[in-house]
Amino acid sequence: MPHTLPHAIARVSAMPVRSHDFESAFAAARHAAQTAVASAAAIETLPEWNLTDLYAAMDAPELAADIAKADVECKAFEDAYKGKLADLVAAPNAGAALAEAVKRYEAVDDLLGRIASYGSLVYAGDTSDPARAKFYGDIQEKLTDSSTHLLFFTLELNRLDDAALEAAMTDPALGHYRPWIEDLRKDKPYQLDDKIEQLFHEKSSPSRSAWSRLFDETISSLRFNVDGQELAIEPTLNLMQDTKEEVRRTAGLALADTFSKNLRLFTLVTNTLAKDKEISDRWRGFPDVASSRHLANRVEKEVVDAMVSSIREAYPRLSHRYYALKARWFGKERLEFWDRNAPLPKVESRDIGWGEAKDTVLTAYGAFSPKMADIARTFFDKSWIDAPVRPGKSPGAFAHPTVPSAHPYVLLNYQGKPRDVMTLAHELGHGVHQVLAARQGALMAPTPLTLAETASVFGEMLTFRKLLDSAENPRARKIMLAQKVEDMINTVVRQTAFYTFERHVHSERRQGELTSEKIGEIWMQVQSESLGPAIHLGAGYETFWTYIPHFIHSPFYVYAYAFGDCLVNSLYAVYEKASDGFAERYLEMLAAGGTKHHAELLAPFGLDARDPAFWQTGLNLIDRMISELESMEG
C-alpha cells in the first residue's frame, strides 16, 4: 500500500511469520546422515529473549512516558507543518527547511516503532494470554490515534511540484533522503484525499488488524488430537517429520480434522480480508490484485510475471520429477501428503542440541565473512533470540527489525530437528541484514520483501554448502542433496503455487463470497499442478490452506521467497566463480537497506532480474541437483 502509514506502524502490522508450511523447507542435512540417535534430553535449555532493551515491562513507567510523548510529538508535528510544505519548498532555504521536517518525522517514526515493536513482541510470546492480548490491542489503538496526526506529511510531500522538490534536494541535508522521497513519490498515483486516508488509517485497527489478530489467536489456541494427546500446532506439524509413517499419518489426519472443524471461521476471515483488500485496491486504483504488493516490493509486475511463468513451466522437471524419485526410494508409486517431507527411508536421525545448531550456523557464516559471524553471534550473546516452544507462542519463526535505535529480535520454535538449524540460519540472515541496514535510519532501513528474503536464503545456502563440503561419504552427500532439493522446492515451487492460489482467491472473491469448498477446490488445483502425480492429495488436505499466516497478514508476500531463492542461487554462482571481494560487496548490498532498487543492488554482481535467463540460473541449479540424485538412485 502507499506509504500513508508511518513506516514504523506499517512494518510492524505487516510483519510476516515464517510459516511452518515451508515444513521441511528448512531441512538441512547435516545430521540426517549420521547414525547416532539421541534423546530429546540432548537439547539444552533454550534461550528466551530479553526485551528490556526496548522496555522493562508492560507496566514500565518509561513505556507509559513514551506513549504519552509520542502522542504529544505527533500533534506538535502536525501543528508545525500541516498545510505548510508548499510554502517551505518555495522558500530560499527550502532544502534545509524540508530536511529538518523529515528528520523530525523520522525521529517520531522511530519512537512509534519502538513502542509498536515491544507490543508486538510481547504478544508473540504468548498470544493466548488475555493480558498480553489486551496490551497489544491497546498499544495498536493508541499508536493508530497518535499517528493519524502524521498522515498529512507524506501526502503533502507528494503534492509538491516535481521541479521545486528536485531543486530542494540539491541541498545535501535533504538530498540524504532522496531515496526515501523518490520511493514515496512512486505511491503518488495511488494516494487518496487526506480525509479518506485518515479514515482508512483509523479503521485499520478495528478492521484488518483485528481480523489478523483473530487468526493468530485462533491458530495458537487450536489443539490436535494425536493418539489421545492434545497438541498445539507446532508439535503436531513437527510430527510430520517423524521417521515412522504411522506417526506422520496420524499427525496429518489430526491436522486435517481440526482444520475442518474450524473451517467456517477461517473461510470468514479469508473472505473478509480479501474483500477489505479489494475495496482498498479499487479506491486507490490498483489495476491488479497483486499490484499493491509489487509496489511495496519496488519490483515491476513484468519481473514477477517472468519469474512465476519460468517456475510454473519448470514444475515437471523439478517437483514432479523429484517426488517421483522420492516415491521410488520409499518403494511406492505415490506418496501421501503427510509423507511429502518425510525423512528418507533407512536414515536414522537425532535431536540436535542448541549449542551444536549455534556452532553450525556461526561456523558457516564465519567461513564466508568473519564480520557476518560476529553480528550473528551478538544475537546469542545478548539474548536477542527466543527459541523454546511454549503454549500460546506464535508459531513459525521471524526476525523482527524493531527500529534502528534498538536492534532486531528473532523468534523460533526450536525442536532440535535438522530443519530447525536451517530456520536459525534463515532468521539470522534476516537479523544480520537488519543490523547492517540500521545505519540508513528509520525511513530508509526497511527493505522490500524480495531483497529481505535474499539475506535469509543466502544464510541458509552458506550453511548448507558448508555442511555439504564436509559430507563424509556418498550416502551422506545424497541425503544432504535430497533435503536441500526439498528445501528449494518448498521455497521456489511451493511458494509460487501459494502465490497462484492467492491470485485465484482474490480474483474470484471479487465476484462474491467464496465457500469453504470453493477455496478448497482452488487449493487442491494449484497443489496438484505444482506437486505432480507422485503426491496423493487425499481427503483432508483441502483444508491445509487455513493455517498459512502470510495469506492473512501479508497478501502476496509468498513470491518473495521464490524471488530470494532464485536470486541467491545466482549470487552464489557468482561467488563460486570469483570469491575475492564478494563478501564485502554482499555486505554492502545488505547495508544499503531500502536506498536502492534491485537493479542497482545487483549490478555490481553482473545480475539483472529483468533478464529471463536470470531465473533459469536458479532453476537449473535445482535441476542439476536432482540429476545428481538420480545418478545415485541405485
Side-chain angles (χ1 to χ4, degrees):
M1 85 174 45
H3 291 164
T4 51
L5 287 177
H7 276 54
I9 307 301
R11 64 173 170 260
V12 171
S13 63
M15 183 190 66
V17 174
R18 182 170 190 171
S19 170
H20 215 317
D21 188 78
F22 311 152
E23 294 142 50
S24 97
F26 319 50
R30 175 178 188 177
H31 302 289
Q34 298 179 358
T35 55
V37 178
S39 69
I43 301 177
E44 307 96 315
T45 300
L46 298 175
E48 298 186 21
W49 55 27
N50 178 5
L51 300 180
T52 57
D53 287 347
L54 296 172
Y55 297 101
M58 290 189 286
D59 59 354
E62 295 82 4
L63 174 60
D66 274 357
I67 291 173
K69 178 183 177 182
D71 191 57
V72 170
E73 291 291 332
C74 288
K75 291 174 180 175
F77 186 84
E78 181 180 42
D79 290 341
Y81 293 107
K82 188 173 183 179
K84 301 173 183 177
L85 297 190
D87 292 336
L88 284 182
V89 80
N93 62 339
L98 282 174
E100 182 60 34
V102 175
K103 287 179 184 178
R104 188 168 167 184
Y105 177 82
E106 184 174 40
V108 177
D109 186 83
D110 191 276
L111 177 59
L112 291 170
R114 177 180 289 268
I115 299 166
S117 298
Y118 182 71
S120 178
L121 293 172
V122 165
Y123 177 64
D126 186 355
T127 62
S128 66
D129 179 6
R132 295 188 187 214
K134 172 178 166 49
F135 174 74
Y136 176 60
D138 288 347
I139 287 285
Q140 284 193 310
E141 287 187 9
K142 289 173 182 176
L143 295 187
T144 297
D145 290 345
S146 296
S147 59
T148 297
H149 298 284
L150 303 179
L151 283 177
F152 78 92
F153 187 61
T154 54
L155 299 174
E156 282 194 34
L157 272 178
N158 269 348
R159 294 193 192 106
L160 296 179
D161 176 74
D162 289 342
L165 187 57
E166 183 63 37
M169 283 194 289
T170 60
D171 186 307
L174 187 62
H176 168 75
Y177 292 101
R178 176 182 288 274
W180 178 72
I181 293 171
E182 291 182 344
D183 227 21
L184 192 67
R185 291 179 84 77
K186 293 175 184 175
D187 298 326
K188 186 176 180 178
Y190 309 105
Q191 72 180 37
L192 304 171
D193 293 339
D194 290 18
K195 284 294 184 183
I196 299 176
E197 291 288 2
Q198 182 178 343
L199 176 63
F200 273 39
H201 178 65
E202 291 187 9
K203 282 180 64 67
S204 63
S205 180
S207 56
R208 170 165 286 277
S209 295
W211 286 99
S212 296
R213 177 177 160 189
L214 173 63
F215 172 85
D216 289 342
E217 293 182 7
T218 300
I219 284 291
S220 295
S221 67
L222 292 182
R223 293 298 177 264
F224 304 85
N225 189 319
V226 181
D227 283 339
Q229 275 191 298
E230 294 294 320
L231 300 179
I233 191 167
E234 282 288 345
T236 309
L237 287 166
N238 193 52
L239 292 176
M240 300 274 275
Q241 306 295 318
D242 198 271
T243 56
K244 301 181 184 66
E245 181 176 357
E246 184 56 31
V247 173
R248 298 193 300 270
R249 176 182 178 277
T250 302
L253 294 178
L255 288 163
D257 180 62
T258 298
F259 292 153
S260 296
K261 290 174 180 176
N262 291 272
L263 204 52
R264 183 178 178 184
L265 186 147
F266 288 121
T267 300
L268 177 59
V269 171
T270 298
N271 271 292
T272 301
L273 290 178
K275 182 61 179 178
D276 180 87
K277 186 178 185 304
E278 184 275 326
I279 292 170
S280 176
D281 286 352
R282 175 161 39 87
W283 275 78
R284 295 190 183 282
F286 286 116
D288 181 76
V289 292
S291 291
S292 59
R293 175 59 62 200
H294 301 333
L295 179 67
N297 283 345
R298 297 309 188 233
V299 64
E300 299 78 13
K301 180 179 184 296
E302 294 73 21
V303 171
V304 178
D305 289 347
M307 178 192 74
V308 171
S309 177
S310 296
I311 294 170
R312 292 183 70 178
E313 288 175 5
Y315 286 171
R317 66 185 174 96
L318 300 182
S319 49
H320 297 191
R321 181 174 157 215
Y322 173 75
Y323 290 130
L325 175 62
K326 186 170 183 178
R328 292 197 295 272
W329 288 337
F330 277 79
K332 299 181 178 183
E333 289 188 10
R334 296 192 301 176
L335 296 172
E336 298 297 332
F337 70 81
W338 52 75
D339 291 331
R340 182 172 61 83
N341 288 308
L344 299 190
K346 299 179 183 179
V347 173
E348 293 180 328
S349 62
R350 65 181 177 85
D351 292 320
I352 302 164
W354 178 252
E356 187 174 354
K358 170 185 173 181
D359 291 343
T360 297
V361 176
L362 291 181
T363 299
Y365 276 27
F368 173 73
S369 164
K371 179 179 180 180
M372 189 171 173
D374 287 344
I375 295 172
R377 188 174 292 106
T378 306
F379 282 74
F380 298 95
D381 295 344
K382 295 192 175 181
S383 299
W384 296 354
I385 302 175
D386 192 88
V389 176
R390 294 190 300 270
K393 182 178 175 180
S394 288
F398 62 73
H400 194 311
T402 72
V403 288
S405 63
H407 56 76
Y409 284 95
V410 165
L411 178 142
L412 305 169
N413 279 275
Y414 190 85
Q415 298 179 78
K417 302 301 180 186
R419 67 171 173 78
D420 294 328
V421 180
M422 295 307 280
T423 300
L424 175 62
H426 180 102
E427 300 306 340
L428 284 176
H430 280 306
V432 169
H433 190 181
Q434 292 158 359
V435 168
L436 289 169
R439 73 184 193 188
Q440 302 295 345
L443 299 183
M444 296 185 291
T447 307
L449 299 177
T450 43
L451 295 171
E453 289 306 331
T454 299
S456 54
V457 177
F458 196 83
E460 289 186 61
M461 179 63 84
L462 289 174
T463 304
F464 165 72
R465 289 292 184 177
K466 184 68 176 176
L467 298 175
L468 188 65
D469 289 345
S470 65
E472 297 177 355
N473 54 60
R475 179 165 178 76
R477 182 178 179 86
K478 174 182 176 179
I479 294 166
M480 291 181 188
L481 281 172
Q483 292 180 326
K484 183 58 178 175
V485 167
E486 291 190 9
D487 176 345
M488 291 173 139
I489 287 174
N490 279 321
T491 306
V492 175
V493 170
R494 196 146 166 78
Q495 302 317 306
T496 299
F498 285 178
Y499 174 68
T500 304
F501 168 76
E502 284 190 279
R503 289 196 62 86
H504 284 309
V505 168
H506 282 265
S507 296
E508 296 208 19
R509 177 63 181 89
R510 295 187 172 193
Q511 310 307 314
E513 281 208 13
L514 302 180
T515 63
S516 302
E517 291 74 19
K518 182 61 179 178
I519 300 175
E521 286 176 15
I522 297 171
W523 174 256
M524 295 294 273
Q525 174 193 336
V526 299
Q527 292 304 306
S528 178
E529 176 197 17
S530 63
L531 299 177
I535 300 291
H536 177 230
L537 303 178
Y541 192 71
E542 72 277 0
T543 66
F544 271 57
W545 57 270
T546 56
Y547 76 109
I548 311 301
H550 301 71
F551 298 161
I552 303 301
H553 297 300
S554 307
F556 304 106
Y557 179 105
V558 288
Y559 76 73
Y561 287 102
F563 193 109
D565 199 280
C566 289
L567 174 53
V568 164
N569 290 342
S570 297
L571 274 174
Y572 205 87
V574 174
Y575 171 55
E576 288 183 312
K577 292 176 183 176
S579 60
D580 288 348
F582 181 94
E584 290 75 15
R585 281 180 287 152
Y586 174 75
L587 295 182
E588 277 303 306
M589 179 181 78
L590 300 188
T595 63
K596 296 180 180 180
H597 185 265
H598 64 79
E600 190 178 358
L601 288 170
L602 295 179
F605 303 96
L607 300 173
D608 185 356
R610 295 167 296 189
D611 182 354
F614 172 84
W615 303 110
Q616 291 304 324
T617 300
L619 300 177
N620 289 341
L621 175 62
I622 306 174
D623 192 334
R624 289 196 300 273
M625 286 184 174
I626 296 174
S627 294
E628 183 175 350
L629 286 169
E630 287 174 332
S631 71
M632 300 175 173
E633 191 171 355

